[in-house]
Amino acid sequence: MQARSIIQDSGSANPDLANAVVYALEFAKRMGTSGAVAGVSRTSGYDLTVRMGELETIEHQNGGGLGITVFMGLRKGSSSTSDFDRQAIEDTVRAAASIAKYTAEDSCNGLPPKDRLVSETADLELDLPWQIDRDQALEIALSCEETALSSDSRIVNSEGASIGTSIQDSAFGNSDGLLVAGRKTRHSIVCSVIGQTDSGMQTDYWFSASRDPGALDSPQSIGAMAARRTLRRLDARKIKTCSVPVLFEAPTAGSLLKNFVGAISGGALYRKASFLLDSLGQQIFPEKTRIHEQPHLKRGIGSAVCDDEGVATETCDIVTDGVLQKYLLSSYSARKLGLETTGNAGGTFNLTIDPGDRDFDEMVKLMNKGLLVTHTMGFGINQVTGDYSQGASGFWVENGEIQFPVEEVTIAGNLRDMFRSLVEVGNDVDYRTGVRTGSILLSNMAVAGE
Amino acid sequence: MENYIEIARKTLLNPAEVSDRELDQLLGKMIGKSIDYADVYFQYSRSENWSLEEGIVKSGAYSVDKGVGLRAVSGEKTGFAFSDDLSLEALTHAAQSARGIAQGIGSGRSGLLGKGSTQVPVRYSGDNPLQSLDEDAKISLLERVEQEARKQDPRVKEVMVNLAGEHNVVMIVGHDGTICADVRPLIRLNVTVVAEQNGRRERGSFGGGSRQSYEFFQQDERALNYAREAVRQALTNLESVDGPAGTMTVVLGPGWPGILLHEAIGHGLEGDFNRKGTSAFSGRIGEKVASDLCTIVDDGTIENRRGSLSVDDEGTQSQNTVLIENGILKGYMQDLTNARLMGQSPTGNGRRQSFAHLPMPRMTNTYMLSGESEHDEIIESVNNGLYAVQFGGGQVDITSGNFVFSATEAYKIENGKVTQPVKGATLIGNGPDVLTRVSMVGNNLELDSGIGTCGKDGQLVPVGVGQPTLRLDEITVGGVVV
């Protein structure tokens, strides 16, 4: 067996998975492949849901998969399986090798440059199990939902409260000697309730999620927030069609950054399917905007020592003073574009837009008059042209204050214009996902209503 | 179906060396006092995916997934566990986890297995589509589709073609010892093109699929027609102008625009939401929720359709369920649990993404029946409005009833004529309200080309939609021209 040192991104790694990766790579070599990449993962945990004060479901998870890509010169083939035994690994490697006989030669195929592979172990503290038994989980979920249900007589029904906790073990390696292994935990509490008045029903939810169970919000505060968010939507109405400033509440504002990430990703760029072609070094956002990645944050939900290809991740700016500093590339898309990988195979790691000084209320004041968007719906985003048209609900704002809830309207524009029209980012940052942003105010969008 | 049960045994149980006696004992451990229902769902799935871009087939992938999901239901409580290991030890462990939802232990009763097996009509062939063409022929199919797209017009700059196939063997063993099996093929081919003119780029996309062999794509130049249609859409969009914002009359073309029905009423009529009273349609059976012109069904029995099933994932025979008849709400779509709790009959809509997911009420093929009007007559009836013919996806908030669906090809209607193409826009409406505004229904029902995938609670399942040409007197259109 080739000597490999295991690089870890957390305190612990499962040797069985690392062994499966090593065996897959060895077998791929025996099959005469010129290079190979293998990854395995296994998730265990459970989701417990209560509804209307009663236990409703317990779903136990225990499953995983192994995936392998082999190279035969400049051709490649991939295969995956849910099985980890030696026979299954061998069958999977053979299937990938067989596919590589039929795919075409592609001069951009291959492993990432060796000198870019992650080489140092770091403890990012991603493995933080939640030491609770079923009865404790049940109690947390019940107390969360009860807080929501008892908060107001207009809260009449519930979609339940859930506790989720999972441990994901993974190992990943390639034929250049890379072997990375680690364990990540994820825990969540979510609550969703229904409010009703004569005009109809509305629902909303709130959740807390973290790798660290100690960082979760209290179940009572999550329940209370779910109720508050539901109640404020009651008696929503349409507004007249207009052209006004739009404030995206922080939990929704992340979607704008995801649209930006999609447009500067290698896959969209080399296919010329992006509205941000040839935009490196160009002013995409207003001058004060900074967008950056923080892959090595301890306990971060989007933290990792390397990307999906094993390339070391790095802390860096994507947008400085509003100017695009780098695309997001894998080794393949980098070769297609004649550039170098940026360590973004699989996406970004704790993408962050620097907040301004205003809290949420001050952001509403700053907008003065316009639409506060709390939810968007739909698939009306065209990555080739940047055309944006989504369903929306939220609140009408006038004189710097929220006036009434709004529903059944659309917001439309073009993402290029929308990015340039960014007025301010709030300091009400939402840390629950891998995209960290406060509320975002845009100077103008078309709102279609009555 | 006997045949399928034998296939399932050979594929699933024999390699894991699980005998009938052991399976019987396993059921004995799961049932018992306070358990109303329990089942074991075995699945063996093989799938492949081939992608062409820049003129070459760059990647291919093959997957084998197998596993078992075990469920125990007690009143409104459900315990669930799954395993990708089919050994008796893993099954027993999963059974204990699932059983943990109810107090007490299993009765240990045995001698149940094989008490019955469900015989139902088969809606598709059980042959493995992955083997219906050899690898060279799959590659050559992708290449021909690509060439067809490129030769349509020099403005076509990028062509991406994707071919996917799946062969699923499932076996459902109910707590009463009944065994049911299904063998399900599923294929899909999709073409996306980017066309360029004077520095402007636009996309067009079209595809189709079915539950049969890959030869489906070779019949009647079907796959080549997908390429032609994708190019047509991209070229049309190169001419599109900014669209209107506001409430207006919209004519929806036949076929895939039936995504309207899936979002506006389909999800809201799923049994789980109605049992819990969380749907805007809850408690409204017998009420008028659409204009008299509207009759809408969910039909899982259509031969070879993407959304069809011989049996659902709980072993209930698929059926044609009337949801709305002449505007009156008639019924919900049910799985076993929600049907039992609501005192209704299951409708064959209990579906799950895989063994690792719990079944719930899901749509199959949801469509509106033809009406009386001619397509042209509907267009001519509109003075000033929008004609929308192709859509991306849709989404619904079942509690408020608000839903969206996003047009990717649309035109202005001016003085009864289809004129200028406009840029894609999202349409938004309210489910219980929107169909009351249907004022004309065409005589031209079409089903979609077999591309639908529906997501609910994170689970994806293949579905179909369809409708004739429809006139909606009023719906909000999300263009940019205020």
Side-chain angles (χ1 to χ4, degrees), chain B residues 108-368:
Chain B
R109 193 150 50 98
S110 62
L112 293 163
L113 197 68
K115 280 285 158 58
S117 62
T118 318
Q119 298 273 354
V120 303
V122 174
R123 306 299 178 189
Y124 31 76
S125 150
D127 295 342
N128 184 352
L130 278 59
Q131 291 163 1
S132 63
L133 287 183
D134 65 29
E135 267 40 14
D136 286 320
K138 291 171 195 169
I139 305 282
S140 142
L141 171 64
L142 289 170
E143 289 174 347
R144 269 181 295 133
V145 170
E146 197 257 354
Q147 287 152 14
E148 186 66 22
R150 289 212 183 261
K151 82 177 193 202
Q152 299 302 304
D153 197 287
R155 288 172 290 177
V156 173
K157 297 299 177 198
E158 306 286 333
V159 181
M160 286 150 270
V161 192
N162 190 272
L163 176 71
E166 193 179 313
H167 188 238
N168 241 306
V169 178
V170 304
M171 181 165 134
I172 306 134
V173 183
H175 70 292
D176 55 359
T178 54
I179 301 182
C180 176
D182 198 6
V183 181
R184 301 168 180 163
L186 189 67
I187 56 167
R188 167 107 194 244
L189 190 146
N190 205 71
V191 189
T192 299
V193 304
V194 177
E196 185 179 328
Q197 174 175 276
N198 303 328
R200 179 174 175 186
R201 292 176 161 272
E202 289 284 353
R203 185 177 58 185
S205 186
F206 199 76
S210 184
R211 289 199 185 273
Q212 54 186 301
S213 75
Y214 285 137
E215 281 136 24
F216 172 75
F217 296 126
Q218 296 169 320
Q219 293 155 6
D220 310 320
E221 299 200 343
R222 193 170 268 122
L224 301 183
N225 282 329
Y226 297 162
R228 294 169 193 143
E229 173 61 17
V231 172
R232 190 195 61 71
Q233 286 179 28
L235 298 180
T236 300
N237 283 329
L238 280 175
E239 311 295 331
S240 66
V241 298
D242 284 342
T247 298
M248 62 198 73
T249 301
V250 172
V251 176
L252 297 174
W256 180 239
I259 191 170
L260 161 78
L261 310 173
H262 180 100
E263 305 298 352
I265 63 131
H267 280 295
L269 298 182
E270 290 167 339
D272 46 354
F273 300 129
N274 288 285
R275 168 176 68 83
K276 296 173 184 174
T278 60
S279 164
F281 288 99
S282 299
R284 298 187 64 177
I285 297 253
E287 284 183 30
K288 189 108 195 287
V289 294
S291 83
D292 297 345
L293 303 170
C294 299
T295 295
I296 300 162
V297 299
D298 182 82
D299 184 358
T301 70
I302 313 168
E303 199 176 334
N304 295 343
R305 292 298 305 181
R306 182 174 167 85
S308 295
L309 294 170
S310 300
V311 290
D312 72 5
D313 293 318
E314 300 179 306
T316 307
Q317 183 179 341
S318 204
Q319 67 179 56
N320 183 351
T321 307
V322 176
L323 304 176
I324 291 175
E325 189 169 29
N326 301 324
I328 307 291
L329 183 56
K330 287 290 178 185
Y332 300 131
M333 290 167 279
Q334 297 287 11
D335 62 0
L336 291 178
T337 302
N338 289 288
R340 181 173 50 80
L341 292 170
M342 291 180 81
Q344 298 182 357
S345 298
T347 57
N349 290 89
R351 304 184 65 185
R352 62 204 297 174
Q353 177 175 316
S354 78
F355 68 88
H357 301 85
L358 271 172
M360 57 184 156
R362 303 297 296 264
M363 284 173 262
T364 60
N365 305 296
T366 314
Y367 58 92
M368 182 185 289

Side-chain angles (χ1 to χ4, degrees), chain A residues 51 56-58 60 64 78-83 104 134 157 238 270-272 332 336 378 389 407 410 449, chain B residues 53-54 57-58 60-64 66 77-78 80 84 100 201 247 276 278 394-395 402 423 426 476 478:
Chain A
R51 183 177 167 271
E56 187 173 65
T57 57
I58 303 178
H60 298 268
S78 303
S79 184
S80 69
T81 177
S82 53
D83 228 343
R134 195 190 103 166
N157 201 344
K238 289 180 88 159
Y270 85 74
R271 293 182 181 103
K272 299 199 169 54
Y332 179 83
K336 291 298 295 180
S389 171
E407 67 177 357
T410 60
Chain B
E53 60 177 38
E54 299 180 307
V57 175
K58 283 187 181 175
Y62 176 75
S63 294
V64 178
K66 68 173 181 357
K77 297 182 179 65
T78 300
F80 178 65
D84 44 32
R201 292 176 161 272
T247 298
K276 296 173 184 174
T278 60
Q395 196 180 336
N402 292 325
K423 286 184 178 179
T426 289
T476 300

Side-chain angles (χ1 to χ4, degrees), chain A residues 183-264:
Chain A
R183 172 176 276 193
K184 290 175 178 172
T185 51
R186 185 180 187 278
H187 319 286
S188 62
I189 305 175
V190 55
C191 181
S192 175
V193 289
I194 290 167
Q196 186 164 29
T197 60
D198 292 343
S199 71
M201 295 191 291
Q202 294 285 350
T203 183
D204 207 344
Y205 71 101
W206 193 248
F207 75 97
S208 180
S210 177
R211 302 226 175 272
D212 175 9
L216 292 171
D217 294 338
S218 79
Q220 293 79 11
S221 73
I222 295 161
M225 184 68 126
R228 206 152 54 233
R229 292 178 68 86
T230 297
L231 290 168
R232 68 179 187 164
R233 297 183 85 177
L234 288 167
D235 302 316
R237 55 195 208 241
K238 289 180 88 159
I239 51 172
K240 296 265 184 240
T241 300
C242 58
S243 191
V244 288
V246 170
L247 176 62
F248 289 82
E249 195 190 31
T252 303
S255 68
L256 295 175
L257 291 180
K258 286 180 194 155
N259 298 148
F260 169 64
V261 163
I264 59 163

